[in-house]
Each structure stands twice: as structure tokens, then as C-alpha cells.
């Protein structure tokens, strides 16, 4: 055969080798990548939840589920992050319950709450039925929402990918199912932020029937961009009352406090092991061999881990330790560490170990107060004994602000930044990733001790503002109930035209005095955005009769 024919002819051997090579690449890379994408646990969870919301919408015309009728109590399902010993999550819900009871009345309201672990919420949420939620929740939500008249999503980080997409899917699932069945669907005092594209698309698609009352203006803007009805409210922990100061003082004295030295409370976390992500392979390995216990969160979900994460966390702990040692030397503080969630124990123990390293062998160890051993009222009582609080936990700052505890925030996201910025103290917030973290925290502590009165005044003034926002949130909630159920017996004076402060749960004498000390600068509207007109189905009672 001539050379020209060889070049132009079909080379079967070469073709076969290329086919085998391509097939090998497909088997080794393309198929596994496809399966990994399609079988990603978060993606499967979202698709399952989405399918069930669509199924609920299809079921509604023939089986609408529980429907409120005049004379019945309104049965609301509270859905949040309860059952993990997260102090902030539990305090938020305790105060929602008090506010809803105040607004709607015990005779007209029946509340249920989902808990991820009933043992960890035993003794909480008095008078509310607790329902144990499984880790694989879509079908459970499909059934339990059907049995209630409405849903209130309670989680603070309601629509965010910062911590776990599964948590946002949980919130969207509950709200979306309620909306699909034309029930009351409310997100209460939550936050919306950066989300993965698929998560954001799910929020946009299934939360359009809901009203979300957000705790900051940035969240309202995010929600409106997604075409979700949103108005401005507040977090709900502002009205929380802990145990008496004597409880916190007694615990600190037992831990070695002399009763007179200024107390520095620090609330550390691990800011670098978020978000939690799903991994089927590691989940199986953990179930069979317990080989990923260090990073295991729950089920097939794992914290971010590895040398880089460990190095960042070690630097964070070292920075906090140096700032605390500075405060011990300069201001003579007694130090206590508080873990606001059970997960914080690892960070608190690491910080305590570092602080105790330089102590004499017979010296008292740095005391730890962790939520897996102390309930929320006790922890907040301890927090309020502080002369200065150094915290990476948002609700440690929120629950101590009514007592005027000056705080230095060490933040991993926008929550603490917004909180202290709104109070006019942005200089007291430092990013966890700041290369000069230790020096800046020490400077913040010095700032507090140099002029504690001005810091306390700014924080207490902002508490008054937040209480009024919480009152307007109650007004908005009343209007949402009235819109959905025009025949519901709402007390005169409540709603859009009422006094915002009348929509707060009963307040302590201290909070009442604070509202007098810091009167509102401007009239407070019932909501920052008007409540939309009632849909046609809300213009009648649930049995189809005219309201």
C-alpha cells in the first residue's frame, strides 16, 4: 500500500485504542462525577422535599387537611432548630411562644413544636406539644403540616447556605407545604443571606405564598429580590428573662470568682468548620467503623475539616487566649467560658486548655459553662454577670444586651457585624479571619474598660429600638392571621392600628424602665412593608362561608 493510502485510510487499531481510552475516562471520571452530582445528599433532599410540596399542592383540592373553623383553637406548628441545645434557637422560640399566646390568647391557640431530640428540650416550651422530627424529614413534614392550620418557621439563619443547606431545606419545606395547602405560612424573625443557586431557586419557587418577617433590612432586601413578601422585624430573644442574677453569681463564685473582680465571659466557637456538607461515603464509613468522629455532625453530614481548618481554628483560639491574658494582666478580670451550643464544647475546652497552660498546677482551672450541662436561663444569668463579653455567638450578645453588658464581637458572618453596627459600635466587631485578631480584641476590651458607660448606653438604647421592632412584628403577625382567617377572634386594639408595645409579651420591670428611658425617636409603623390584600380564599372562613 502506498504512503498516501496509509495516511488517508481508516486505522482501526488507533480508533479502537481511542475508544478504549475514552471509555476508561468515562468510567473513571465522568460517570462517578455524574453520580456524585446526582446522588449528592443535599440535592436528593431538596428534590424529595420539592416533590412533596408539589404533591401537597396537587392533593389540596381533594384533601385540604386541617382547616380552621370559628370556635376552634388555631393549631400552629413551630419549625426550627430545637433539640440541639442551641441556646439562641431555644430562647428565640420561648419568646415567640410567649408573644403568640399574648396576641392570640391561650383559649384560641394550640401550639406544637418540632424537636430534633426530645431529651434535649425536656422542660422547655411549657404547654407546647413537642413532636420528634426524624433526620430524614420530608415525608414527616408532608404529613405533620397537613395536620395543622399553619406553620411558623422559627430558625434565625432561615435562608442561608453558611451553616447547612439541609437546614434551609427544612425551613422551605415547612413553609412551602403550608403555602401549597393555603395555610398560614410565616417566617418569624429570621434572616436571609447568601445561598447556593439551587437553594435560592427553591426558596424563590416555594416561599411565594409566605410572609417572612426578617430581623434586619439586608434580609428584607434579599427576600424582596426573590419576590417573597417580607417586612422588617427583629430577633425575638430581646424579651427573654433568665434566672435571677444570684444564680449566675453563685455559679461563678463556686468556680473561683471572688465576687468583686470584673468578670470577662468569652463565648468561642469553631467558625471554620462550616458549612456542614453531605458525604454518603464518609457517612457509611462513620456508621460502620466510626472513622470520621472528629468531623461528624449527624447522619451523612460532616463539618469541614483537614489541616487548613485546624490551623485556622488554632490561630483563632490563640488570638482569643492572648487577648484574654492581656485583660487579666491589665484589668484583673476573672475569666469564664460559655458554650451557647453543645457543639461549642470543643472550642471552649481548647481555649481553657490554652489559658490554663501558664497557670500554677494548684491554680483553679478556667470554668466552663456549656449548654449540654446548663439550661438557657442559667447560661444567660451567667452572661449577665460579665463586665465585658467577648463572643462569637450572636445570641450571647443579644441576651446580655438588656443588662447593658458591653460586648466585643468576633464574627464569622454578618449577624454580629449588623448587630453591633446598628447599635453604633462597629469598632467593637472583629472578623474571625483578621490577621491581627488578638490585638484587635484586646483593643476592644480596653475600649470597654476605658468608657463602659457609653458602650452600655448605646447597647441599651438599641435594645429599646429592637423591642419596638419586635412589637411591630407582632402587629404584622396579627394582620397575617386576620388576613388568612377573618373570623378569628382577635382582641380589640391589636393589629396595624394598635400600639406596637401592646404586641410584646409581658416585660420585666427592667425592660419597661428601659423603654421609658429611651423613648422612640419616630413613630413606629405596623410594618415596614404593607401586608398584601387578602387572597380570595382568605375572604371566606375555612368551611367556605362568608366571613
Amino acid at each position: 500500500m502506498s504512503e498516501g493510502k496509509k495516511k488517508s485510510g481508516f486505522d482501526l487499531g488507533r480508533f479502537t485504542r481511542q475508544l478504549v481510552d475514552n471509555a476508561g475516562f468515562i468510567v473513571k471520571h465522568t460517570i462517578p462525577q455524574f453520580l456524585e452530582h446526582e446522588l449528592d445528599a443535599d440535592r436528593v433532599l431538596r428534590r424529595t422535599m420539592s416533590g412533596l410540596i408539589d404533591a401537597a399542592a396537587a392533593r389540596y383540592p381533594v384533601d385540604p387537611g386541617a382547616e380552621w373553623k370559628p370556635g376552634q383553637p388555631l393549631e400552629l406548628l413551630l419549625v426550627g432548630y430545637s433539640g440541639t441545645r442551641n441556646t439562641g434557637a431555644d430562647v428565640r422560640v420561648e419568646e415567640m411562644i410567649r408573644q403568640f399566646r399574648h396576641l392570640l390568647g391561650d383559649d384560641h391557640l394550640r401550639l406544637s413544636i418540632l424537636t430534633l431530640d426530645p431529651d434535649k428540650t425536656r422542660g422547655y416550651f411549657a404547654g407546647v406539644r413537642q413532636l420528634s422530627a426524624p433526620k430524614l424529614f420530608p415525608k414527616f413534614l408532608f404529613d405533620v403540616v397537613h395536620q395543622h392550620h399553619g406553620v411558623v418557621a422559627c430558625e434565625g439563619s432561615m435562608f442561608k447556605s453558611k451553616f447547612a443547606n439541609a437546614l434551609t431545606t427544612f425551613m422551605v419545606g415547612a413553609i412551602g407545604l403550608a403555602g401549597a395547602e393555603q395555610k398560614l405560612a410565616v417566617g418569624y424573625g429570621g434572616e436571609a443571606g447568601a445561598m447556593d443557586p439551587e437553594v435560592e431557586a427553591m426558596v424563590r419557587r416555594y416561599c411565594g405564598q409566605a410572609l417572612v418577617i426578617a430581623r434586619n433590612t439586608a434580609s428584607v432586601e434579599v427576600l424582596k429580590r426573590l419576590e417573597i413578601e417580607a417586612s422588617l422585624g427583629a430577633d425575638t430573644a430581646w424579651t427573654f428573662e433568665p434566672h435571677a442574677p444570684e444564680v449566675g453569681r453563685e455559679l461563678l463564685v463556686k468556680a473561683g470568682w471572688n465576687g468583686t473582680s470584673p468578670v470577662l465571659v468569652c463565648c468561642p466557637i469553631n467558625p471554620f468548620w462550616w458549612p456542614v456538607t453531605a458525604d454518603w461515603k464518609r457517612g457509611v464509613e462513620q456508621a460502620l467503623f466510626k472513622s470520621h468522629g472528629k468531623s461528624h455532625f449527624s447522619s451523612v453530614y460532616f463539618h469541614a475539616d483537614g489541616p487548613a481548618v485546624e490551623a485556622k481554628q488554632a490561630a483563632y483560639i490563640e488570638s482569643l487566649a492572648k487577648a484574654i491574658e492581656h485583660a487579666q494582666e491589665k484589668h484583673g478580670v476573672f475569666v469564664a467560658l460559655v458554650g451557647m451550643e453543645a457543639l461549642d464544647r470543643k472550642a471552649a475546652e481548647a481555649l481553657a486548655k490554652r489559658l490554663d497552660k501558664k497557670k500554677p498546677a494548684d491554680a483553679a482551672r478556667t470554668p466552663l459553662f456549656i449548654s449540654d450541662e446548663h439550661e438557657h436561663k442559667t447560661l444567660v444569668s451567667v452572661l449577665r454577670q460579665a463586665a465585658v463579653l467577648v463572643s462569637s455567638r450572636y445570641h450571647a450578645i443579644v441576651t446580655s444586651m438588656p443588662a447593658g453588658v458591653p460586648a466585643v464581637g468576633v464574627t464569622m458572618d454578618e449577624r454580629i457585624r449588623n448587630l453591633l453596627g446598628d447599635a453604633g459600635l462597629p469598632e467593637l466587631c472583629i472578623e474571625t479571619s483578621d490577621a491581627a485578631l488578638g490585638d484587635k480584641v484586646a483593643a476592644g476590651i480596653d475600649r470597654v474598660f476605658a468608657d463602659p458607660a457609653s458602650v452600655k448606653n448605646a447597647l441599651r438604647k438599641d435594645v429599646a429600638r429592637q423591642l419596638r421592632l419586635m412589637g411591630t412584628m407582632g402587629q404584622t403577625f396579627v394582620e397575617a392571621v386576620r388576613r388568612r382567617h377573618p373570623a378569628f377572634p382577635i382582641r380589640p386594639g391589636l393589629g396595624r392600628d394598635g400600639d406596637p408595645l401592646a404586641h410584646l409579651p409581658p416585660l420585666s420591670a427592667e425592660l419597661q424602665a428601659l423603654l421609658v428611658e429611651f423613648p422612640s425617636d419616630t413613630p413606629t409603623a405596623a410594618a415596614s412593608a404593607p401586608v398584601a390584600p387578602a387572597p380570595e380564599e382568605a375572604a371566606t372562613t375555612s368551611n367556605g362561608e362568608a366571613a
Side-chain angles (χ1 to χ4, degrees):
M1 186 180 291
S2 67
E3 188 67 16
K5 289 183 178 179
K6 285 184 180 180
K7 289 183 178 179
S8 62
F10 177 71
D11 189 336
L12 179 61
R14 182 181 180 186
F15 173 78
T16 303
R17 286 192 302 273
Q18 290 178 337
L19 186 63
V20 170
D21 289 343
N22 288 336
F25 180 85
I26 290 171
V27 171
K28 290 181 180 179
H29 301 285
T30 305
I31 291 177
Q33 287 175 2
F34 173 79
L35 291 176
E36 182 179 1
H37 179 271
E38 292 301 309
L39 297 180
D40 172 78
D42 279 331
R43 183 169 286 105
V44 171
L45 188 69
R46 285 194 296 273
R47 289 177 177 176
T48 303
M49 194 71 258
S50 297
L52 287 172
I53 296 173
D54 293 337
R59 176 181 62 180
Y60 172 71
V62 294
D63 180 11
E67 295 183 292
W68 180 81
K69 295 179 175 60
Q72 293 181 332
L74 183 65
E75 298 192 20
L76 296 181
L77 179 67
L78 309 181
V79 181
Y81 190 52
S82 300
T84 62
R85 280 291 182 165
N86 181 303
T87 302
D90 292 334
V91 165
R92 279 173 51 84
V93 175
E94 292 277 19
E95 294 310 290
M96 285 183 205
I97 291 168
R98 289 208 309 128
Q99 189 176 25
F100 295 159
R101 283 176 164 167
H102 169 70
L103 294 173
L104 303 184
D106 282 339
D107 291 341
H108 306 296
L109 182 65
R110 185 176 298 158
L111 296 173
S112 300
I113 186 169
L114 301 188
T115 174
L116 301 174
D117 186 342
D119 290 337
K120 293 179 179 177
T121 50
R122 186 171 289 115
Y124 288 17
F125 318 132
V128 176
R129 182 176 62 151
Q130 296 191 22
L131 304 175
S132 180
K135 293 177 180 177
L136 296 176
F137 55 79
K139 179 57 166 61
F140 172 81
L141 279 182
F142 180 77
D143 293 333
V144 75
V145 170
H146 195 59
Q147 299 162 8
H148 289 78
H149 300 138
V151 164
V152 178
C154 304
E155 168 56 21
S157 297
M158 196 170 293
F159 303 123
K160 301 176 73 172
S161 289
K162 181 68 176 180
F163 298 102
N165 282 332
L167 182 59
T168 296
T169 301
F170 191 38
M171 296 300 104
V172 176
I175 289 176
L177 286 166
E181 296 190 340
Q182 303 299 317
K183 300 176 187 290
L184 184 69
V186 177
Y188 207 69
E191 201 159 297
M195 289 174 271
D196 293 343
E198 289 186 23
V199 177
E200 184 175 288
M202 187 180 185
V203 173
R204 180 192 291 271
R205 179 177 178 184
Y206 291 114
C207 295
Q209 297 296 316
L211 165 66
V212 180
I213 311 173
R215 66 186 179 191
N216 54 55
T217 53
S219 294
V220 172
E221 291 169 3
V222 170
L223 293 163
K224 288 187 174 180
R225 176 175 58 80
L226 297 177
E227 301 178 329
I228 295 168
E229 182 185 355
S231 64
L232 180 62
D235 196 88
T236 55
W238 298 103
T239 54
F240 182 73
E241 282 301 308
H243 286 313
E246 292 74 24
V247 173
R249 292 180 60 85
E250 183 178 349
L251 284 171
L252 290 168
V253 168
K254 286 181 178 179
W257 181 42
N258 62 14
T260 57
S261 298
V263 176
L264 184 153
V265 173
C266 182
C267 301
I269 62 171
N270 188 330
F272 308 105
W273 66 357
W274 303 100
V276 167
T277 53
D279 189 322
W280 291 109
K281 179 176 178 292
R282 285 202 291 172
V284 172
E285 292 170 350
Q286 172 65 17
L288 294 177
F289 310 114
K290 307 297 181 186
S291 53
H292 301 286
K294 192 174 181 180
S295 61
H296 186 232
F297 176 73
S298 177
S299 181
V300 297
Y301 289 90
F302 293 84
H303 289 288
D305 63 352
V309 170
E310 292 177 2
K312 289 178 182 178
Q313 179 66 3
Y316 165 83
I317 293 295
E318 180 64 21
S319 296
L320 290 180
K322 287 182 176 179
I324 290 170
E325 288 172 343
H326 166 83
Q328 288 173 315
E329 294 171 5
K330 186 171 182 178
H331 305 291
V333 298
F334 175 83
V335 178
L337 306 183
V338 170
M340 293 290 283
E341 184 173 3
L343 286 173
D344 297 344
R345 176 171 287 281
K346 290 182 180 180
E349 289 177 344
L351 181 54
K353 182 178 179 180
R354 165 61 182 79
L355 290 171
D356 292 343
K357 186 186 298 184
K358 296 182 180 180
K359 290 183 177 180
D362 59 347
R365 303 296 92 180
T366 303
L368 305 179
F369 302 97
I370 313 296
S371 67
D372 54 13
E373 293 181 342
H374 299 279
E375 46 91 42
H376 49 3
K377 290 189 175 183
T378 299
L379 288 181
V380 177
S381 180
V382 171
L383 291 174
R384 291 190 178 187
Q385 307 315 306
V388 61
L389 172 66
V390 177
S391 180
S392 289
R393 279 287 180 183
Y394 174 86
H395 279 103
I397 301 176
V398 168
T399 54
S400 60
M401 277 175 62
V405 176
V408 177
V410 183
T411 187
M412 62 180 283
D413 62 14
E414 69 280 357
R415 291 170 300 161
I416 294 176
R417 192 184 313 125
N418 291 340
L419 180 64
L420 292 177
D422 287 345
L425 299 167
E427 72 278 8
L428 292 181
C429 184
I430 305 102
E431 304 296 320
T432 55
S433 58
D434 196 307
L437 177 62
D439 291 339
K440 289 186 178 181
V441 173
I445 294 171
D446 289 344
R447 157 84 168 83
V448 167
F449 276 102
D451 186 13
S454 68
V455 177
K456 289 182 179 182
N457 190 68
L459 293 173
R460 294 177 69 251
K461 182 177 181 180
D462 198 59
V463 172
R465 183 183 69 87
Q466 296 281 4
L467 288 172
R468 291 185 171 90
L469 283 173
M470 187 174 165
T472 67
M473 187 160 63
Q475 291 178 285
T476 306
F477 180 75
V478 166
E479 291 298 332
V481 173
R482 181 176 280 144
R483 171 176 61 168
R484 180 60 58 188
H485 302 296
F488 188 86
I490 293 171
R491 297 198 318 273
L494 293 183
R496 184 189 304 277
D497 298 326
D499 179 359
L501 298 184
H503 294 72
L504 292 171
L507 301 179
S508 67
E510 290 77 11
L511 288 179
Q512 292 180 45
L514 189 148
L515 287 168
V516 172
E517 182 180 356
F518 299 103
S520 177
D521 295 331
T522 56
T524 308
S528 65
V531 176
E536 288 185 18
E537 63 272 13
T540 61
T541 60
S542 296
N543 62 4
E545 298 174 357

